[in-house]
Amino acid sequence: MPMVLLQCDKDIPEREKHIYLKVDGEDSRDYLPVANASTIPGTLSERGCAFCGAKLVIGGVLKDTIQMIHGPIGCAYDTWHTKRYPSDNGHFQMKYVWSTDMKESHIVFGGEKRLEKSMHEAFDEMPEIKRMIVYTTCPTALIGDDIKAVAKKVMEARPDVDIFTCECPGFAGVSQSKGHHVLNIGWVNEKVGTVEPEITSKYTMNFIGDYNIQGDSELLQQYWDKLGIQVIAHFTGNANYDDLRSMHRAQLNVVNCARSAGYIANELKKKYGIPRLDIDSWGFNYMAEGIRKISAFFGIEEKGEALIAEEYAKWKPKLDWYKERLRGTKMAIWTGGPRLWHWTKSVEDDLGVQVVAMSSKFGHQEDFEKVIARGQAGTYYIDDGNELEFFEIIDLVKPDVIFTGPRVGELVKKLHIPYVNGHAYHNGPYMGFEGFVNLARDMYNAIYNPLLKLAATDPRGALTTPAKEAAE
Amino acid sequence: MTPEKIDQLFDYVQERCLWQFFSRAWDREENIDGILKAAAALLTGQPPALETPMDRLFYADAKVMVSDLRERFPWIEDSGAAQIRDLLHGLKDKLTDFTITRSLNHELNHTLY
């Protein structure tokens, strides 16, 4: 019973291994969805590609770095600007996009010269920028362009620049998860340890797996400043390229997104002996717990408690206002992977919201172990869900609000179900105490928005021309 | 020691503690051993080890866990040192069984991260 074959999947029965319905009395030793596996032919996956995982999620966040995408122009546009991660230097990384704009002739005759020219052009046009990441994409990987050799040549010609190469074409893995992995491991092998940071506090840490989505990192930075902790590197929210070269000097790695950045925390522990502390940065209860753990590590518990008390005094009444109005709301979370387990218990404990279905695009089985341990019985846990499955799940669990991306969000809006952007947020930041109030506000606004009911009312009645769905 | 009490502790850890679900079997084993050892010290009034960075990490996780356990399960205050050690030993066995030995996670024993 717990592994579920949906009606829409009757012709692709392999999907049964990817959909789990939690039942009381069973556990993850009995059933665990298959995850991080190739998408099954016949299913319409909404995954991204491996290149996207490296560029859009991690590398592209850096605020002082040219992101040179060696490939056709679409690879650049489709991984630019769709995730809102601002920076405190005027959002340099969101204003510009760089591409070698490969065309057929370059594919036939090779693209290395074009890449070299593009790299020089970019540095010439932006003389204040001295750092660059170069990415391969599917076509330039297939033709064998040697981007490392080109980067070496450009660095020899320009001694004041530093370039990192990320060889992770879209086809390198089953989803964007592979891109996270390649960038993490490449960075720790090639760049960490090549810059010595200035140490300004006796307490130092890296904050790993925060991407400053609508200001998440900047909000949390206020906490670390108040605690007197120097963050040597945020990986990679609002971060400079050279911050990340200095990660070896931190005393502690605090990990939020264990999926996209757990690898570098593991490697830093292995190579440099830096302990890895995983926390949840979304939710009041979780955020307080994270601050307590960090404070305990450094022996500054009193400061931690003072910070928590201050934040609770400021934000808890506002959270409770929303909790009164959101209690009993049924929520679906269809995002990348970690937000399933970060959010399911925090919205339940802090807002009285019940999570009834969760789908992960690129989570691994580790993520499903976490979310099944934290989530409720009667909830669906889906790996690599497709659109037809989403529609069927909606019929089964009748969510009041769905946290997902804009593409699926547009689909559910047609069913007049409110959606909140679970990737880039509606009006974030969502991390920290203030952030979770923002999340609650966006959920409240979505649910109580009268426009959805208005849109569901069609005054034309029977006069409308019926439109059949393709499947009908 | 009763299985019911171990189940209560286990349910708490499953719901709250990310350290049980680290990437590889050896990480999970290291965390379970280190944190439960620190928790045992805290619960029995012994000074926890704080010499190395990993000691302080285990202490940080254990401190929050012990505080929660005392709040959720008042009976723990009435347990003697031997009983607490037995309880945590039972908890360790159950966590190891769930998250390592009989875990269905296929990535647990990859040699690389």
Side-chain angles (χ1 to χ4, degrees), chain A residues 29 269 285 293 364 369, chain B residues 16 28 30 97 103 107:
Chain A
R29 295 173 305 178
K269 181 176 148 192
N285 195 300
K293 287 184 179 179
H364 294 210
E369 287 181 295
Chain B
R16 296 297 304 186
R28 294 182 178 193
E30 183 182 34
D97 184 60
S103 168
E107 296 181 346

Side-chain angles (χ1 to χ4, degrees), chain A residues 289 292-293, chain B residues 12 59-69:
Chain A
E289 182 181 284
R292 285 196 173 100
K293 287 184 179 179
Chain B
Y12 163 83
Y59 165 72
D61 271 317
K63 188 176 183 196
V64 168
M65 181 174 84
V66 165
S67 169
D68 283 352
L69 295 182

Side-chain angles (χ1 to χ4, degrees), chain A residues 156-199:
Chain A
E156 282 168 1
R158 294 174 176 267
D160 59 343
V161 307
D162 196 85
I163 301 167
F164 174 64
T165 55
C166 183
E167 298 193 76
C168 185
F171 58 74
V174 302
S175 73
Q176 50 268 64
S177 181
K178 183 65 178 179
H180 308 150
H181 185 245
V182 170
L183 195 145
N184 272 244
I185 300 298
W187 189 269
V188 78
N189 285 341
E190 295 176 26
K191 294 299 178 189
V192 172
T194 59
V195 163
E196 288 301 321
E198 182 191 351
I199 301 298

Side-chain angles (χ1 to χ4, degrees), chain B residues 3-108:
Chain B
E4 290 76 22
K5 286 182 176 171
I6 291 172
D7 286 347
Q8 287 179 15
L9 301 183
F10 174 76
D11 289 347
Y12 163 83
V13 173
Q14 279 273 289
E15 183 189 302
R16 296 297 304 186
C17 301
L18 293 172
W19 47 258
Q20 69 193 305
F21 293 123
F22 269 33
S23 315
R24 299 289 179 259
W26 60 84
D27 293 316
R28 294 182 178 193
E29 193 174 358
E30 183 182 34
N31 282 348
I32 292 168
D33 285 350
I35 292 161
L36 294 190
K37 195 173 164 192
L42 291 170
L43 283 167
T44 56
Q46 303 297 312
L50 294 170
E51 281 77 38
T52 68
M54 287 304 290
D55 285 342
R56 288 192 285 137
L57 174 81
F58 296 144
Y59 165 72
D61 271 317
K63 188 176 183 196
V64 168
M65 181 174 84
V66 165
S67 169
D68 283 352
L69 295 182
R70 285 185 165 136
E71 187 182 322
R72 292 182 184 211
F73 312 118
W75 49 257
I76 212 159
E77 296 290 4
D78 303 326
S79 309
Q83 199 182 358
I84 281 170
R85 276 192 287 274
D86 284 348
L87 277 166
L88 293 180
H89 186 72
L91 175 61
K92 179 182 167 180
D93 286 348
K94 192 161 182 179
L95 279 170
T96 303
D97 184 60
F98 265 68
T99 65
I100 301 174
T101 315
R102 289 169 63 195
S103 168
L104 298 175
N105 182 344
H106 289 102
E107 296 181 346
L108 275 190

